[in-house]
Amino acid sequence: MDTIERVKNIILSPKTEWKVIEAEEMTASKLLTSYLILLALIPAIASFIGFGLIGYNVLGIHIGSISVGIRQAVISFFGMIASIYLTAYIITWLAPKFGSTADFNKAFQLVGYSYTPMCVAGILYILPALGTLAGIMGLYGLYILFIGLAPMMKTPEDKITTYFLTTIVCVIVIALLFSVLLGALYIL
């Protein structure tokens, strides 16, 4: 798999690319080491540069230091990997309830590739004020996830929307809990 080609295809023609990905046999660990770590490094390194070297201003006060940059980079990298695993587990757990195949490796592919636009847009964290745009790209990632449910999880057409919405609600609840935990760690 050519990483750059996969990134381009999953962003520009996700429906076609899901058909290619569906035929691939790839374990979660292989996808993690061959694709996701590289992509998760984009927002992590950009966060380090943006928050650690460039900084930002709040009410005329400059905020930014190497330690802040390192902290942001670590939280970005490990938070992204953890959220991919967690979402894949949720999708796998919910699969039988929606007539889908409970295959963790396929769910991991589905989620991992859906994070592609947000990871690529993570380069915007170089300028912390533009970081929100990377999050907005996550919305496109949700669309990619939605259209990937049928080919990857073998979800019946009439259950895709409910499966997707249920997954999103579960992920949001867990993400809120996760962010509270990370917030508590950030204060320390």
Side-chain angles (χ1 to χ4, degrees):
M1 164 186 62
D2 177 24
T3 302
I4 294 172
E5 191 68 22
R6 175 58 50 89
V7 167
K8 183 184 86 162
N9 291 343
I10 201 70
I11 291 173
L12 299 178
S13 56
K15 286 183 182 179
T16 307
E17 194 64 12
W18 280 130
K19 292 175 187 167
V20 174
I21 295 167
E22 174 191 12
E24 297 174 354
E25 289 298 322
M26 184 170 300
T27 63
S29 60
K30 176 73 175 154
L31 181 63
L32 178 68
T33 57
S34 67
Y35 185 82
L36 290 174
I37 287 177
L38 179 65
L39 257 63
L41 284 172
I42 296 169
I45 292 169
S47 291
F48 171 74
I49 294 168
F51 291 96
L53 303 177
I54 296 172
Y56 58 99
N57 293 319
V58 175
L59 301 173
I61 300 169
H62 184 76
I63 298 172
S65 67
I66 296 295
S67 65
V68 171
I70 291 171
R71 188 177 300 150
Q72 286 297 119
V74 168
I75 288 172
S76 170
F77 182 78
F78 289 108
M80 179 137 342
I81 300 298
S83 63
I84 291 169
Y85 269 101
L86 185 60
T87 306
Y89 278 118
I90 290 169
I91 286 174
T92 304
W93 178 70
L94 289 172
K97 295 161 183 57
F98 294 96
S100 303
T101 306
D103 181 342
F104 178 75
N105 288 322
K106 290 295 183 188
F108 194 82
Q109 284 180 291
L110 173 66
V111 177
Y113 289 126
S114 297
Y115 268 69
T116 300
M118 190 167 58
C119 288
V120 171
I123 193 71
L124 297 172
Y125 287 121
I126 285 179
L127 298 173
L130 297 178
T132 305
L133 294 176
I136 291 172
M137 285 304 291
L139 296 176
Y140 182 60
L142 289 176
Y143 167 74
I144 293 173
L145 179 79
F146 179 79
I147 63 171
L149 278 172
M152 297 302 290
M153 304 307 293
K154 308 295 183 238
T155 305
E157 288 295 322
D158 63 325
K159 296 184 180 183
I160 290 175
T161 303
T162 343
Y163 187 14
F164 174 75
L165 292 174
T166 304
T167 299
I168 297 306
V169 168
C170 289
V171 169
I172 288 171
V173 168
I174 292 171
L176 288 172
L177 295 172
F178 192 64
S179 66
V180 167
L181 174 67
L182 282 179
L185 291 175
Y186 189 76
I187 292 170
L188 299 176

